[in-house]
Amino acid sequence: MNYNKKTVKDVDVKGKKVLLRCDFNVPLAKDGSGVITDDKRIRAALPTIQYLLEQGAAVIACSHLGKPEASFDKWVKKQTEKGKDPATLTEEKWQKTLKELRMEPVAKRLGELLGKEVILADDVVGPDATAKAAALKSGEIMLLQNTRFEKGETKGDPELAKKMAALAGADGVYVSDAFGAVHRAHASTAVVADYLPAVSGFLIQKELEIIGGALAAPKRPLVAILGGSKVSSKIGVINNLLEIADTIIIGGGMAYTFSAAQGGKVGNSLLEEDWKAYSLEMVEKAKQKGVKLLLPVDTVIADKFAADANSQVVKSGEIPDGWEGLDIGPETVKLYCDAVKDAGTVIWNGPMGVFEFEKFAVGTKAVAEALSETSAITIIGGGDSAAAVQQLGYADKMTHISTGGGASLEFMEGKELPGVACLLDA
């Protein structure tokens, strides 16, 4: 995939309307109050928004928020699959869930951060959005309603994309700055580029330069740290990184599948039986490629999956029945931290253990600390790793923390990202 894409600085936006796809999928308080509990995704969009407004553009921002079902029938089906009684699922309840995912809190917070009014539309491409977009002047900003309120959004519906593009007018521009959504070929993330010249905002430009650069021409040695629960979710990443990395470190729940594949006893630990053969293939491929594949040599085990579980340290592959591995052990911590000391580039995706339990967060904390002390380029691939680094206060010590967990994973797999592929090449 070509990572060299045109940016907002390569197009003239003065006096034009710009349809700007942001990632405002922010966490909201669970009490339905609409309070935003973390606004960093809104803050991440500010440089692009401020630049566009300063250049005299009229900005029509849009984003999804949560996972609203755009039709009552689909909502009922999804809730029924979750075990809810269909008899209790009323149209009134569906409308309530939609109301809780409206963009009012986002518009309010964005306005506070920009220090100016953000005009909010009542719909996405309906009469209110159309009228407000038509009246929008240079230097003003409006926000459309949740793009997923439209049935065609997640289906990549061309008609919806065409209507969204029409809001910006015949000489409009599309700017993509929602890295967290570029791996999806949705109407507002990719298809709209069929109807407007499309360029990246500063956020996507930074992600492409840093992650793309680390994959295409890394400062060596390149060390990849992969954690998380399942081998199956990281197959493509491991496979792709075996072609370019010097060292791959495996932690988290997926390490037990590797251990079991090599004849180890894993007790009640997370295990994907179907992926044992694949794990052995990866070990063999690493040998053939001359890549160091580091697996845990010891593990912290618990007698139950709980924060207050009894725990002990055992050698990898020697977990007794009734016990399960929840973190890497002290010898493994030392091995992994030593591996990043002299690295040129480190990419980290996925925790080393059950990070949400303090007792089993030791491995993840140690890796985060080691990365904060190395002189290497350090790239955190979103998701739980990003949360860990931020919670531990090491965020400002990292070179780059990706804003998209799923997108950065697919990026590291070498997959084409629809929301990037659709942008004009530089």
Side-chain angles (χ1 to χ4, degrees), residues 249 296-298 300 327-340 352 361-367 370:
I249 292 171
V297 293
D298 60 349
V300 179
D327 196 11
I328 55 174
E331 285 182 42
T332 307
V333 166
K334 186 176 184 310
L335 177 70
Y336 288 5
C337 290
D338 284 347
V340 305
M352 297 292 98
V362 176
T364 303
K365 287 179 178 179
V367 167

PDB file of all heavy atoms in Angstrom, residues 249 296-298 300 327-340 352 361-367 370:
ATOM      1  N   ILE A 249       8.527 -10.638  20.330  1.00  0.00           N
ATOM      2  CA  ILE A 249       8.272 -11.038  21.712  1.00  0.00           C
ATOM      3  C   ILE A 249       6.794 -11.390  21.846  1.00  0.00           C
ATOM      4  O   ILE A 249       5.927 -10.596  21.455  1.00  0.00           O
ATOM      5  CB  ILE A 249       8.637  -9.885  22.666  1.00  0.00           C
ATOM      6  CG1 ILE A 249      10.156  -9.648  22.668  1.00  0.00           C
ATOM      7  CG2 ILE A 249       8.123 -10.150  24.075  1.00  0.00           C
ATOM      8  CD1 ILE A 249      10.586  -8.400  23.414  1.00  0.00           C
ATOM      9  N   PRO A 296       7.668 -16.730  26.752  1.00  0.00           N
ATOM     10  CA  PRO A 296       7.887 -16.712  28.193  1.00  0.00           C
ATOM     11  C   PRO A 296       8.639 -17.960  28.690  1.00  0.00           C
ATOM     12  O   PRO A 296       8.403 -19.060  28.194  1.00  0.00           O
ATOM     13  CB  PRO A 296       6.465 -16.687  28.771  1.00  0.00           C
ATOM     14  CG  PRO A 296       5.634 -16.081  27.689  1.00  0.00           C
ATOM     15  CD  PRO A 296       6.239 -16.588  26.408  1.00  0.00           C
ATOM     16  N   VAL A 297       9.549 -17.734  29.649  1.00  0.00           N
ATOM     17  CA  VAL A 297      10.266 -18.856  30.265  1.00  0.00           C
ATOM     18  C   VAL A 297       9.668 -19.184  31.627  1.00  0.00           C
ATOM     19  O   VAL A 297       9.877 -20.268  32.171  1.00  0.00           O
ATOM     20  CB  VAL A 297      11.781 -18.553  30.412  1.00  0.00           C
ATOM     21  CG1 VAL A 297      12.430 -18.458  29.037  1.00  0.00           C
ATOM     22  CG2 VAL A 297      12.021 -17.266  31.203  1.00  0.00           C
ATOM     23  N   ASP A 298       8.919 -18.237  32.185  1.00  0.00           N
ATOM     24  CA  ASP A 298       8.176 -18.517  33.423  1.00  0.00           C
ATOM     25  C   ASP A 298       6.887 -17.702  33.391  1.00  0.00           C
ATOM     26  O   ASP A 298       6.722 -16.791  32.575  1.00  0.00           O
ATOM     27  CB  ASP A 298       9.001 -18.222  34.676  1.00  0.00           C
ATOM     28  CG  ASP A 298       9.442 -16.764  34.790  1.00  0.00           C
ATOM     29  OD1 ASP A 298       9.296 -16.017  33.789  1.00  0.00           O
ATOM     30  OD2 ASP A 298       9.946 -16.372  35.855  1.00  0.00           O
ATOM     31  N   VAL A 300       3.278 -16.259  35.837  1.00  0.00           N
ATOM     32  CA  VAL A 300       2.573 -16.091  37.111  1.00  0.00           C
ATOM     33  C   VAL A 300       1.210 -16.750  36.945  1.00  0.00           C
ATOM     34  O   VAL A 300       0.445 -16.389  36.042  1.00  0.00           O
ATOM     35  CB  VAL A 300       2.396 -14.596  37.470  1.00  0.00           C
ATOM     36  CG1 VAL A 300       1.634 -14.457  38.788  1.00  0.00           C
ATOM     37  CG2 VAL A 300       3.745 -13.898  37.559  1.00  0.00           C
ATOM     38  N   ASP A 327      -0.014 -13.772  33.880  1.00  0.00           N
ATOM     39  CA  ASP A 327       1.006 -12.761  33.619  1.00  0.00           C
ATOM     40  C   ASP A 327       2.326 -13.455  33.315  1.00  0.00           C
ATOM     41  O   ASP A 327       2.509 -14.637  33.632  1.00  0.00           O
ATOM     42  CB  ASP A 327       1.175 -11.843  34.841  1.00  0.00           C
ATOM     43  CG  ASP A 327       1.923 -10.542  34.534  1.00  0.00           C
ATOM     44  OD1 ASP A 327       2.143 -10.243  33.338  1.00  0.00           O
ATOM     45  OD2 ASP A 327       2.272  -9.819  35.487  1.00  0.00           O
ATOM     46  N   ILE A 328       3.256 -12.710  32.702  1.00  0.00           N
ATOM     47  CA  ILE A 328       4.598 -13.265  32.509  1.00  0.00           C
ATOM     48  C   ILE A 328       5.340 -13.224  33.853  1.00  0.00           C
ATOM     49  O   ILE A 328       5.066 -12.370  34.696  1.00  0.00           O
ATOM     50  CB  ILE A 328       5.389 -12.495  31.419  1.00  0.00           C
ATOM     51  CG1 ILE A 328       5.452 -10.986  31.717  1.00  0.00           C
ATOM     52  CG2 ILE A 328       4.792 -12.752  30.044  1.00  0.00           C
ATOM     53  CD1 ILE A 328       6.330 -10.190  30.758  1.00  0.00           C
ATOM     54  N   GLY A 329       6.268 -14.163  34.046  1.00  0.00           N
ATOM     55  CA  GLY A 329       7.008 -14.255  35.298  1.00  0.00           C
ATOM     56  C   GLY A 329       8.223 -13.335  35.344  1.00  0.00           C
ATOM     57  O   GLY A 329       8.579 -12.704  34.338  1.00  0.00           O
ATOM     58  N   PRO A 330       8.913 -13.266  36.499  1.00  0.00           N
ATOM     59  CA  PRO A 330      10.047 -12.344  36.668  1.00  0.00           C
ATOM     60  C   PRO A 330      11.230 -12.590  35.730  1.00  0.00           C
ATOM     61  O   PRO A 330      11.859 -11.636  35.264  1.00  0.00           O
ATOM     62  CB  PRO A 330      10.449 -12.547  38.134  1.00  0.00           C
ATOM     63  CG  PRO A 330       9.781 -13.800  38.585  1.00  0.00           C
ATOM     64  CD  PRO A 330       8.574 -13.967  37.746  1.00  0.00           C
ATOM     65  N   GLU A 331      11.527 -13.866  35.436  1.00  0.00           N
ATOM     66  CA  GLU A 331      12.633 -14.148  34.498  1.00  0.00           C
ATOM     67  C   GLU A 331      12.273 -13.666  33.092  1.00  0.00           C
ATOM     68  O   GLU A 331      13.116 -13.138  32.356  1.00  0.00           O
ATOM     69  CB  GLU A 331      12.941 -15.646  34.472  1.00  0.00           C
ATOM     70  CG  GLU A 331      13.685 -16.152  35.701  1.00  0.00           C
ATOM     71  CD  GLU A 331      13.995 -17.640  35.590  1.00  0.00           C
ATOM     72  OE1 GLU A 331      14.390 -18.081  34.483  1.00  0.00           O
ATOM     73  OE2 GLU A 331      13.837 -18.348  36.592  1.00  0.00           O
ATOM     74  N   THR A 332      11.022 -13.846  32.734  1.00  0.00           N
ATOM     75  CA  THR A 332      10.550 -13.395  31.416  1.00  0.00           C
ATOM     76  C   THR A 332      10.561 -11.869  31.330  1.00  0.00           C
ATOM     77  O   THR A 332      10.933 -11.301  30.300  1.00  0.00           O
ATOM     78  CB  THR A 332       9.132 -13.936  31.128  1.00  0.00           C
ATOM     79  OG1 THR A 332       9.137 -15.356  31.302  1.00  0.00           O
ATOM     80  CG2 THR A 332       8.673 -13.605  29.723  1.00  0.00           C
ATOM     81  N   VAL A 333      10.160 -11.226  32.419  1.00  0.00           N
ATOM     82  CA  VAL A 333      10.197  -9.758  32.471  1.00  0.00           C
ATOM     83  C   VAL A 333      11.602  -9.272  32.154  1.00  0.00           C
ATOM     84  O   VAL A 333      11.803  -8.362  31.333  1.00  0.00           O
ATOM     85  CB  VAL A 333       9.734  -9.239  33.859  1.00  0.00           C
ATOM     86  CG1 VAL A 333      10.095  -7.763  34.024  1.00  0.00           C
ATOM     87  CG2 VAL A 333       8.234  -9.429  34.035  1.00  0.00           C
ATOM     88  N   LYS A 334      12.609  -9.886  32.791  1.00  0.00           N
ATOM     89  CA  LYS A 334      14.000  -9.476  32.572  1.00  0.00           C
ATOM     90  C   LYS A 334      14.418  -9.732  31.121  1.00  0.00           C
ATOM     91  O   LYS A 334      15.028  -8.885  30.468  1.00  0.00           O
ATOM     92  CB  LYS A 334      14.930 -10.231  33.529  1.00  0.00           C
ATOM     93  CG  LYS A 334      16.378  -9.741  33.453  1.00  0.00           C
ATOM     94  CD  LYS A 334      17.258 -10.439  34.472  1.00  0.00           C
ATOM     95  CE  LYS A 334      18.679  -9.873  34.449  1.00  0.00           C
ATOM     96  NZ  LYS A 334      19.289  -9.803  33.124  1.00  0.00           N
ATOM     97  N   LEU A 335      14.058 -10.905  30.609  1.00  0.00           N
ATOM     98  CA  LEU A 335      14.385 -11.277  29.230  1.00  0.00           C
ATOM     99  C   LEU A 335      13.809 -10.265  28.236  1.00  0.00           C
ATOM    100  O   LEU A 335      14.500  -9.801  27.318  1.00  0.00           O
ATOM    101  CB  LEU A 335      13.824 -12.679  28.945  1.00  0.00           C
ATOM    102  CG  LEU A 335      13.992 -13.242  27.527  1.00  0.00           C
ATOM    103  CD1 LEU A 335      15.456 -13.578  27.250  1.00  0.00           C
ATOM    104  CD2 LEU A 335      13.116 -14.492  27.349  1.00  0.00           C
ATOM    105  N   TYR A 336      12.534  -9.916  28.429  1.00  0.00           N
ATOM    106  CA  TYR A 336      11.848  -9.024  27.499  1.00  0.00           C
ATOM    107  C   TYR A 336      12.374  -7.586  27.611  1.00  0.00           C
ATOM    108  O   TYR A 336      12.543  -6.897  26.595  1.00  0.00           O
ATOM    109  CB  TYR A 336      10.336  -9.048  27.739  1.00  0.00           C
ATOM    110  CG  TYR A 336       9.659 -10.336  27.291  1.00  0.00           C
ATOM    111  CD1 TYR A 336      10.403 -11.418  26.814  1.00  0.00           C
ATOM    112  CD2 TYR A 336       8.274 -10.492  27.350  1.00  0.00           C
ATOM    113  CE1 TYR A 336       9.788 -12.594  26.416  1.00  0.00           C
ATOM    114  CE2 TYR A 336       7.646 -11.660  26.946  1.00  0.00           C
ATOM    115  CZ  TYR A 336       8.412 -12.714  26.484  1.00  0.00           C
ATOM    116  OH  TYR A 336       7.800 -13.872  26.085  1.00  0.00           O
ATOM    117  N   CYS A 337      12.620  -7.144  28.844  1.00  0.00           N
ATOM    118  CA  CYS A 337      13.123  -5.769  29.029  1.00  0.00           C
ATOM    119  C   CYS A 337      14.537  -5.627  28.462  1.00  0.00           C
ATOM    120  O   CYS A 337      14.875  -4.593  27.869  1.00  0.00           O
ATOM    121  CB  CYS A 337      13.088  -5.388  30.509  1.00  0.00           C
ATOM    122  SG  CYS A 337      11.389  -5.187  31.130  1.00  0.00           S
ATOM    123  N   ASP A 338      15.353  -6.672  28.606  1.00  0.00           N
ATOM    124  CA  ASP A 338      16.707  -6.656  28.030  1.00  0.00           C
ATOM    125  C   ASP A 338      16.647  -6.563  26.505  1.00  0.00           C
ATOM    126  O   ASP A 338      17.481  -5.923  25.871  1.00  0.00           O
ATOM    127  CB  ASP A 338      17.486  -7.909  28.438  1.00  0.00           C
ATOM    128  CG  ASP A 338      17.975  -7.848  29.881  1.00  0.00           C
ATOM    129  OD1 ASP A 338      17.915  -6.744  30.477  1.00  0.00           O
ATOM    130  OD2 ASP A 338      18.389  -8.894  30.422  1.00  0.00           O
ATOM    131  N   ALA A 339      15.629  -7.207  25.919  1.00  0.00           N
ATOM    132  CA  ALA A 339      15.503  -7.261  24.456  1.00  0.00           C
ATOM    133  C   ALA A 339      15.209  -5.899  23.836  1.00  0.00           C
ATOM    134  O   ALA A 339      15.514  -5.661  22.672  1.00  0.00           O
ATOM    135  CB  ALA A 339      14.417  -8.256  24.056  1.00  0.00           C
ATOM    136  N   VAL A 340      14.596  -5.002  24.611  1.00  0.00           N
ATOM    137  CA  VAL A 340      14.260  -3.685  24.037  1.00  0.00           C
ATOM    138  C   VAL A 340      15.316  -2.617  24.321  1.00  0.00           C
ATOM    139  O   VAL A 340      15.290  -1.544  23.734  1.00  0.00           O
ATOM    140  CB  VAL A 340      12.875  -3.173  24.531  1.00  0.00           C
ATOM    141  CG1 VAL A 340      11.794  -4.191  24.238  1.00  0.00           C
ATOM    142  CG2 VAL A 340      12.887  -2.812  26.009  1.00  0.00           C
ATOM    143  N   MET A 352       0.885  -7.831  28.466  1.00  0.00           N
ATOM    144  CA  MET A 352       1.602  -9.068  28.788  1.00  0.00           C
ATOM    145  C   MET A 352       0.802  -9.999  29.694  1.00  0.00           C
ATOM    146  O   MET A 352       1.105 -11.182  29.817  1.00  0.00           O
ATOM    147  CB  MET A 352       2.942  -8.746  29.475  1.00  0.00           C
ATOM    148  CG  MET A 352       3.911  -7.963  28.608  1.00  0.00           C
ATOM    149  SD  MET A 352       4.538  -8.929  27.197  1.00  0.00           S
ATOM    150  CE  MET A 352       3.468  -8.351  25.873  1.00  0.00           C
ATOM    151  N   ALA A 361      -0.544  -7.244  36.648  1.00  0.00           N
ATOM    152  CA  ALA A 361      -0.173  -6.171  35.719  1.00  0.00           C
ATOM    153  C   ALA A 361       1.333  -5.917  35.728  1.00  0.00           C
ATOM    154  O   ALA A 361       1.815  -5.029  35.040  1.00  0.00           O
ATOM    155  CB  ALA A 361      -0.918  -4.887  36.090  1.00  0.00           C
ATOM    156  N   VAL A 362       2.071  -6.721  36.487  1.00  0.00           N
ATOM    157  CA  VAL A 362       3.511  -6.497  36.674  1.00  0.00           C
ATOM    158  C   VAL A 362       4.275  -6.540  35.349  1.00  0.00           C
ATOM    159  O   VAL A 362       5.108  -5.676  35.057  1.00  0.00           O
ATOM    160  CB  VAL A 362       4.099  -7.517  37.679  1.00  0.00           C
ATOM    161  CG1 VAL A 362       5.614  -7.344  37.807  1.00  0.00           C
ATOM    162  CG2 VAL A 362       3.427  -7.352  39.038  1.00  0.00           C
ATOM    163  N   GLY A 363       3.993  -7.558  34.535  1.00  0.00           N
ATOM    164  CA  GLY A 363       4.695  -7.712  33.257  1.00  0.00           C
ATOM    165  C   GLY A 363       4.440  -6.553  32.312  1.00  0.00           C
ATOM    166  O   GLY A 363       5.365  -6.017  31.685  1.00  0.00           O
ATOM    167  N   THR A 364       3.179  -6.144  32.227  1.00  0.00           N
ATOM    168  CA  THR A 364       2.813  -5.030  31.349  1.00  0.00           C
ATOM    169  C   THR A 364       3.481  -3.735  31.815  1.00  0.00           C
ATOM    170  O   THR A 364       4.013  -2.967  31.013  1.00  0.00           O
ATOM    171  CB  THR A 364       1.274  -4.861  31.316  1.00  0.00           C
ATOM    172  OG1 THR A 364       0.694  -6.103  30.880  1.00  0.00           O
ATOM    173  CG2 THR A 364       0.852  -3.746  30.378  1.00  0.00           C
ATOM    174  N   LYS A 365       3.463  -3.513  33.126  1.00  0.00           N
ATOM    175  CA  LYS A 365       4.099  -2.303  33.688  1.00  0.00           C
ATOM    176  C   LYS A 365       5.600  -2.296  33.404  1.00  0.00           C
ATOM    177  O   LYS A 365       6.170  -1.255  33.055  1.00  0.00           O
ATOM    178  CB  LYS A 365       3.861  -2.249  35.198  1.00  0.00           C
ATOM    179  CG  LYS A 365       2.440  -1.886  35.591  1.00  0.00           C
ATOM    180  CD  LYS A 365       2.300  -1.873  37.110  1.00  0.00           C
ATOM    181  CE  LYS A 365       0.891  -1.471  37.526  1.00  0.00           C
ATOM    182  NZ  LYS A 365       0.721  -1.484  39.000  1.00  0.00           N
ATOM    183  N   ALA A 366       6.236  -3.447  33.576  1.00  0.00           N
ATOM    184  CA  ALA A 366       7.691  -3.531  33.367  1.00  0.00           C
ATOM    185  C   ALA A 366       8.058  -3.233  31.917  1.00  0.00           C
ATOM    186  O   ALA A 366       9.037  -2.525  31.641  1.00  0.00           O
ATOM    187  CB  ALA A 366       8.195  -4.920  33.758  1.00  0.00           C
ATOM    188  N   VAL A 367       7.274  -3.752  30.973  1.00  0.00           N
ATOM    189  CA  VAL A 367       7.531  -3.499  29.550  1.00  0.00           C
ATOM    190  C   VAL A 367       7.332  -2.016  29.244  1.00  0.00           C
ATOM    191  O   VAL A 367       8.140  -1.395  28.537  1.00  0.00           O
ATOM    192  CB  VAL A 367       6.616  -4.378  28.665  1.00  0.00           C
ATOM    193  CG1 VAL A 367       6.639  -3.910  27.216  1.00  0.00           C
ATOM    194  CG2 VAL A 367       7.049  -5.841  28.751  1.00  0.00           C
ATOM    195  N   ALA A 370      10.297  -0.173  30.569  1.00  0.00           N
ATOM    196  CA  ALA A 370      11.482  -0.414  29.726  1.00  0.00           C
ATOM    197  C   ALA A 370      11.422   0.418  28.456  1.00  0.00           C
ATOM    198  O   ALA A 370      12.435   0.977  28.009  1.00  0.00           O
ATOM    199  CB  ALA A 370      11.586  -1.902  29.384  1.00  0.00           C
TER     200      ALA A 370
END
